[in-house]
Amino acid sequence: MTRLIFLGAPGAGKGTQAETLAHHRNIPHISTGDILRQAMQKQTPLGVKAQDYVSRGELVPDQLVNDLVKERLDEPDTEQGWILDGFPRKVSQASFLDKLLQEKHNHQVVRVVNLEVPDDILMARLLARGRADDNEEVIRRRLEVYREQTAPLIDFYRDRQQLISVNGDQSLDEVTAELLDVIDS
Ligand code: ADP
């Protein structure tokens, strides 16, 4: 059973690697960023509420993402496993997820992959990507928010011995190979 959380700064390659691995394992790749962007595009109630935060590089309020993750993990396609990408992004979300998974899976441990990439490389990758929320000022804010709110999750999960670190500063294929290697060991 593959149940993984992907951590890593914006630009670390979480989305790409999570998608590849999910495909490989035939399990859903659940990206809160993708779900929010789709909702914004369709202007659903969730999208309308999230819009302002996302375009400024801020985190959307916990309740919005917590609800969406809870609902998504209740879909039948998650029974064979899943990969969460972009959630949790702060300690309060990690606590919420913990409780949710305890109820669902009765204490089975979920593993957490941290993709490590040096700061200067992150900025270069994000500027090259050119998504709507990828202008320099917003990127800077997203990196700041990451350092303040998300990076503490690395220690949080390391202390609980759930953390697996992977060098994200390699070619896409090399990262995938390292990932496959560590999650099966
Ligand atoms: P990145 O490439 O920065 O990792 P994502 O696609 O994961 O971007 O997320 C894009 C944006 O969506 C974030 O900057 C944030 O505004 C919002 N978002 C995604 N996941 C969460 C979350 N778990 N909590 C709050 N906001 C989120």
Side-chain angles (χ1 to χ4, degrees):
M1 172 73 66
T2 307
R3 291 195 195 109
L4 290 175
I5 292 168
F6 268 54
L7 282 184
K14 294 186 306 281
T16 311
Q17 294 297 334
E19 182 64 35
T20 305
L21 199 59
H23 194 247
H24 212 269
R25 293 286 156 102
N26 201 21
I27 53 177
H29 165 213
I30 303 173
S31 157
T32 47
D34 286 351
I35 295 171
L36 291 172
R37 277 187 291 278
Q38 263 173 33
M40 292 187 314
Q41 208 173 13
K42 293 191 200 141
Q43 291 283 293
T44 66
L46 170 67
V48 171
K49 285 183 203 141
Q51 186 100 44
D52 239 38
Y53 299 96
V54 175
S55 60
R56 283 185 284 124
E58 303 294 336
L59 297 184
V60 309
D62 278 0
Q63 202 188 336
L64 293 183
V65 274
N66 288 357
D67 286 353
L68 93 77
V69 167
K70 182 177 178 348
E71 270 176 40
R72 185 63 187 83
L73 289 177
D74 275 336
E75 298 284 325
D77 66 342
T78 59
E79 273 163 28
Q80 304 309 315
W82 41 256
I83 298 178
L84 260 183
D85 158 17
F87 188 93
R89 237 182 173 88
K90 52 196 285 212
V91 173
S92 55
Q93 294 177 6
S95 307
F96 171 84
L97 184 64
D98 242 15
K99 259 181 67 191
L100 185 70
L101 297 180
Q102 267 171 31
E103 285 160 16
K104 281 176 89 76
H105 304 308
N106 201 11
H107 299 286
Q108 271 186 57
V109 175
V110 170
R111 291 195 296 169
V112 180
V113 173
N114 184 37
L115 278 182
E116 296 181 328
V117 176
D119 282 0
D120 50 331
I121 310 254
L122 293 175
M123 190 50 132
R125 285 187 184 175
L126 289 165
L127 285 171
R129 187 165 74 176
R131 210 169 64 193
D133 57 344
D134 276 349
N135 74 64
E136 192 164 344
E137 195 191 328
V138 178
I139 292 172
R140 264 185 220 297
R141 183 60 194 147
R142 295 219 314 273
L143 288 170
E144 228 170 69
V145 168
Y146 168 77
R147 272 182 215 111
E148 286 164 9
Q149 310 210 45
T150 311
L153 290 178
I154 298 171
D155 284 338
F156 177 91
Y157 286 117
R158 187 187 289 118
D159 289 346
R160 296 164 25 144
Q161 302 183 342
Q162 284 172 268
L163 195 77
I164 305 172
S165 291
V166 169
N167 175 13
D169 187 17
Q170 318 179 70
S171 74
L172 287 180
D173 289 349
E174 283 165 339
V175 177
T176 306
E178 187 176 329
L179 261 171
L180 287 170
D181 200 43
V182 291
I183 64 168
D184 286 328
S185 59

